[in-house]
Amino acid sequence: QVQLVESGGGLVQAGGSLRLSCTASGSIFTINPMGWWRQAPGKQRELVAQIRSVRTTIYADSVKGRFTISRDNAKNMVYLQMNSLKPEDTAVYYCNVNVAGMPYWGQGTQVTVSS
C-alpha cells in the first residue's frame, strides 16, 4: 500500500515563492516516477513536473524556469520549489507516484496566488 501526504501550500502574492513537500510511504523505489499535478477550478488535472531520477525531469511549458522538482530517495520525499508564482498557478496541487503501473495520489494541497 502506497500513501502520499502533501504539505506546503498556502496563499502567496504574485512573484512570491512556495515549496511543496510530499512524503511517500510504502514500496517506493528510485525507478518509480514521482511528480506533481495540479487542478484549477473547472479545468482538468495537468502535469506540472515529474522526476524519474536525479537527472531525468519533465516540466510543463508553463512552469519551466520557475519551478524545480527534486526528490530525496532516502526519505521517500519529493519537493516542488515554486518561484515567481503567478495567479494562473492557483490550483490544488497533487503528489503522484506510479508503482507497477498503478498511479497513487495524495489528498492535495491548495496553492493560491493573489495578484
Side-chain angles (χ1 to χ4, degrees):
Q1 185 70 17
V2 175
Q3 291 186 325
L4 303 170
V5 178
E6 303 101 332
S7 62
L11 173 64
V12 64
Q13 288 188 333
S17 298
L18 283 174
R19 187 191 193 212
L20 304 184
S21 299
C22 173
T23 303
S25 60
S27 300
I28 307 295
F29 301 97
T30 58
I31 63 172
N32 296 129
M34 298 188 75
W36 290 94
W37 295 63
R38 67 186 180 188
Q39 187 167 19
K43 295 187 177 182
Q44 289 187 332
R45 191 172 296 188
E46 63 175 359
L47 175 66
V48 176
Q50 187 183 69
I51 183 165
R52 293 179 176 268
S53 67
V54 174
R55 298 180 180 85
T56 303
T57 56
I58 300 172
Y59 294 96
D61 288 342
S62 59
V63 307
K64 283 181 181 177
R66 301 188 297 122
F67 290 11
T68 302
I69 189 170
S70 60
R71 66 190 289 173
D72 184 332
N73 294 319
K75 296 181 179 179
N76 272 352
M77 294 190 71
V78 62
Y79 308 96
L80 186 68
Q81 178 66 44
M82 305 185 294
N83 299 327
S84 302
L85 282 161
K86 304 176 181 180
E88 51 264 43
D89 294 318
T90 295
V92 178
Y93 284 70
Y94 297 91
C95 181
N96 163 268
V97 64
N98 291 319
V99 180
M102 177 71 72
Y104 293 88
W105 299 92
Q107 81 286 354
T109 184
Q110 177 70 46
V111 172
T112 303
V113 184
S114 63
S115 58

